């Protein structure tokens, strides 16, 4: 009899423990081992049903979690349709959050299907994060082909990191954004690596990565094929490192444009190295508007290879993407620009173009070990040089006559 009572008591204890454990699992925001799976929150992932609200709740739950290093999992094998949305990390409990994207995320197919309370100036945004890791083999597709034919549109960004620090993005594929694919704005300590970014060469304004008002940004080991700049660096950006990039088609890697509508804009301490350009309209470029103010300085381009780029080396202080622009005397000052070990072919005869301002000439521009050849007739390779001052050393082909020859520098 005593034995039976003991057995009944043990069974009762086991039932209580089991029920308690089940309730606890239900109250853990449907996560196990600090991992939050979007499917467990109700995402469908069929590419047709809008999963935006689920994603928002999913991120909120993980952000509110007491887990020291929560992971948001977007599992493989499904396609998630998202409307424009912005995740705000201001109140996140952790500064070590991982978004693991293994599946495919897509935007609505038509501009009219975008559900925006205000202007659709970006599709997916992350703001006010400190310690965010976005990674995985997944794909983020902006389905921008319907946008590209519009004559009037806002500056739509596909994927935006804003007002954040300690953010890294790794391994993802970005496709067919309405305009720029990735933007880093007002952020610091950003690292982007092993990315694939692609859109057709004819797609307008589809920059790969745009940097604006940001510092300590590094981009490396990535392939970028778009209809605009592979990487562009805008105002108030400094300490930028770009390396091991395959670029093309596209417009190359650009500083600017700077100084539009008379603005004072500044970019400095930029290092671009180990980049290969494939059929791009430009290679390494600095572009500024007439009438602007500010500076682009302390910039180095080295170990660059050009395969049939139209203009492998460009400084253009008369940038004008319109039929005609007003002549103005003020200009963004360009100084301390170094080019070293740049080789390959040019699609046009003029392989080096330095078009600097008459009122604010480019100064301290240096070239060392340059060998660029016009692909159709190597003997006709030439340069154009206006109002540029500086030095050249070693073999510089084509010769850049406005730079003085120096034995060592």
């Amino acid at each position: 009899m005593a034995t039976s009572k003991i057995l009944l008591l043990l069974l009762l204890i086991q039932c209580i423990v089991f029920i308690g454990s089940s309730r606890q699992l239900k109250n853990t925001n449907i996560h196990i081992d600090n991992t939050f799976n979007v499917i467990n929150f109700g995402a469908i992932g069929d590419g047709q049903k809008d999963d935006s609200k689920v994603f928002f709740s999913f991120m909120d739950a993980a952000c509110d979690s007491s887990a020291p290093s929560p992971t948001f999992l977007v599992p493989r094998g499904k396609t998630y349709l998202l409307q424009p949305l912005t995740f705000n990390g201001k109140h996140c409990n952790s500064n070590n959050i991982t978004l693991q994207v293994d599946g495919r995320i897509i935007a609505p197919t038509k501009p009219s299907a975008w559900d925006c309370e205000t202007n659709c100036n970006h599709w997916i945004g992350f703001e006010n994060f400190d310690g965010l890791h976005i990674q995985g083999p997944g794909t983020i597709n902006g389905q921008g082909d319907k946008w590209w034919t519009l004559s009037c549109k806002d500056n739509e960004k596909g994927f935006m990191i804003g007002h954040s620090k300690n953010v890294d993005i790794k391994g993802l594929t970005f496709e067919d954004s309405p305009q720029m694919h990735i933007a880093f704005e007002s952020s610091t300590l950003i690292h982007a690596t092993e990315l694939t970014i692609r859109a057709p060469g004819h797609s307008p304004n589809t920059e790969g990565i745009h940097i604006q008002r940001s510092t300590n940004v590094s981009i490396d080991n990535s392939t970028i094929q778009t209809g605009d700049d592979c990487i562009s660096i805008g105002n108030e950006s400094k300490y930028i490192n770009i390396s091991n990039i395959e670029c093309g088609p596209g417009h190359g890697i650009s500083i600017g444009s700077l100084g539009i509508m008379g603005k004072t804009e500044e970019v400095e301490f930029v290092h671009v190295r180990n980049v290969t350009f494939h059929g791009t309209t430009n290679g390494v470029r600095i572009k500024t508007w007439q009438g602007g103010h500010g500076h682009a300085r302390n910039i180095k381009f080295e170990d660059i290879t050009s395969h049939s780029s139209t203009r492998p080396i460009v400084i253009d202080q008369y940038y004008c993407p319109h039929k005609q622009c007003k002549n103005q005397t003020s200009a963004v000052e360009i100084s301390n620009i170094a080019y070293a070990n740049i080789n390959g072919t040019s699609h046009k005869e003029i392989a080096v173009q330095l078009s600097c301002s008459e009122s604010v000439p480019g100064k301290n521009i240096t070239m060392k070990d340059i060998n660029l050849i016009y692909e159709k007739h190597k003997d006709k390779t030439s340069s154009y040089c206006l109002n540029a001052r500086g030095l050249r050393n070693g073999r510089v082909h084509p010769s850049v006559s406005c730079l003085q020859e120096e034995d060592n520098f």
Side-chain angles (χ1 to χ4, degrees):
M1 189 71 173
T3 302
S4 299
K5 288 182 179 180
I6 291 171
L7 288 173
L8 286 172
L9 180 60
L10 288 173
L11 287 171
L12 180 61
I13 291 170
Q14 288 177 345
C15 288
I16 292 170
V17 169
F18 177 78
I19 293 169
S21 299
S22 299
R23 287 177 178 173
Q24 186 176 10
L25 283 172
K26 290 179 181 179
N27 292 325
T28 57
N29 292 323
I30 323 177
H31 71 93
I32 300 173
D33 297 331
N34 299 335
T35 297
F36 297 74
N37 189 324
V38 71
I39 295 297
N40 292 341
F41 279 76
I44 302 301
D46 63 359
Q48 298 181 15
K49 181 176 174 56
D50 182 6
D51 283 322
S52 304
K53 291 182 179 179
V54 174
F55 266 69
F56 204 84
S57 299
F58 159 66
M59 293 286 281
D60 263 358
C63 225
D64 292 340
S65 168
S66 59
S69 302
T71 294
F72 317 144
L73 175 62
V74 181
R76 67 179 70 245
K78 290 182 177 293
T79 298
Y80 308 89
L81 173 64
L82 298 185
Q83 289 286 345
L85 73 170
T86 299
F87 303 109
N88 195 322
K90 190 173 184 179
H91 301 294
C92 286
N93 292 325
S94 173
N95 60 357
N96 187 28
I97 296 172
T98 298
L99 174 59
Q100 179 72 30
V101 182
D102 293 344
R104 187 167 184 259
I105 296 173
I106 63 171
T109 56
K110 299 178 181 179
S112 60
W114 280 46
D115 183 10
C116 305
E117 293 181 3
T118 57
N119 291 334
C120 295
N121 59 0
H122 66 261
W123 171 34
I124 299 174
F126 295 84
E127 294 189 342
N128 302 307
F129 279 87
D130 180 2
L132 175 63
H133 315 285
I134 305 171
Q135 62 187 37
T139 298
I140 297 175
N141 189 309
Q143 303 207 103
D145 58 324
K146 299 295 191 300
W147 291 88
W148 301 335
T149 59
L150 296 180
S151 59
C152 181
K153 51 191 172 184
D154 295 321
N155 191 26
E156 296 85 8
K157 306 173 186 71
F159 194 93
M160 188 272 292
I161 304 292
H163 304 279
S164 296
K165 61 182 178 179
N166 297 308
V167 177
D168 59 79
I169 305 176
K170 180 179 180 180
L172 292 166
T173 295
F174 295 83
E175 297 176 333
D176 296 343
S177 178
Q179 289 199 355
M180 62 183 65
H181 286 76
I182 301 174
F184 300 134
E185 299 185 355
S186 304
S187 296
T188 188
L189 298 171
I190 307 296
H191 182 207
T193 186
E194 298 177 24
L195 302 181
T196 299
I197 303 173
R198 56 191 177 217
H202 67 269
S203 56
N205 303 312
T206 53
E207 285 103 326
I209 300 175
H210 179 67
I211 304 166
Q212 190 90 357
R213 296 183 297 277
S214 295
T215 62
N216 297 294
V217 177
S218 62
I219 304 167
D220 56 57
N221 298 299
S222 296
T223 298
I224 305 175
Q225 304 167 320
T226 70
D228 208 296
D229 295 324
C230 290
I231 300 172
S232 59
I233 303 170
N235 182 37
E236 295 184 41
S237 296
K238 59 185 177 180
Y239 302 110
I240 311 298
N241 285 285
I242 298 167
S243 62
N244 299 310
I245 303 295
E246 297 287 331
C247 170
H251 293 182
I253 292 179
S254 294
I255 311 296
S257 61
L258 302 176
I260 188 172
M261 298 178 66
K263 292 180 180 179
T264 298
E265 298 190 315
E266 302 172 350
V267 170
E268 58 187 336
F269 301 110
V270 177
H271 191 188
V272 178
R273 62 187 176 88
N274 294 329
V275 175
T276 301
F277 296 105
H278 302 272
T280 52
T281 56
N282 307 284
V284 290
R285 173 170 62 159
I286 300 173
K287 53 180 178 176
T288 70
W289 295 78
Q290 293 184 71
H293 303 273
H295 58 253
R297 65 190 183 193
N298 301 320
I299 299 166
K300 185 171 186 178
F301 303 104
E302 65 175 334
D303 301 332
I304 306 294
T305 301
S306 168
H307 295 297
S308 192
S309 297
T310 302
R311 301 183 298 174
I313 297 176
V314 184
I315 295 178
D316 183 4
Q317 291 205 264
Y318 301 89
Y319 178 67
C320 177
H322 312 301
K323 289 183 178 180
Q324 187 174 358
C325 293
K326 181 181 178 181
N327 287 327
Q328 301 181 64
T329 56
S330 62
V332 175
E333 182 181 283
I334 294 178
S335 64
N336 299 336
I337 312 297
Y339 302 90
N341 192 28
I342 300 179
N343 302 279
T345 59
S346 169
H347 185 61
K348 293 290 182 70
E349 290 184 24
I350 299 176
V352 177
Q353 176 186 327
L354 306 180
S355 302
C356 297
S357 167
E358 182 177 358
S359 58
V360 188
K363 61 184 182 181
N364 196 23
I365 297 170
T366 61
M367 289 194 174
K368 182 177 182 179
D369 299 333
I370 309 297
N371 186 22
L372 294 167
I373 298 173
Y374 175 38
E375 62 183 359
K376 294 182 180 179
H377 201 306
K378 66 178 182 179
D379 294 334
K380 292 186 177 181
T381 312
S382 64
S383 68
Y384 176 83
C385 194
L386 177 68
N387 302 317
R389 308 287 184 265
L391 302 171
R392 53 190 166 92
N393 178 262
R395 176 180 171 84
V396 175
H397 183 272
S399 178
V400 183
S401 59
C402 63
L403 303 182
Q404 296 182 355
E405 188 172 356
E406 179 73 16
D407 290 335
N408 294 290
F409 62 78

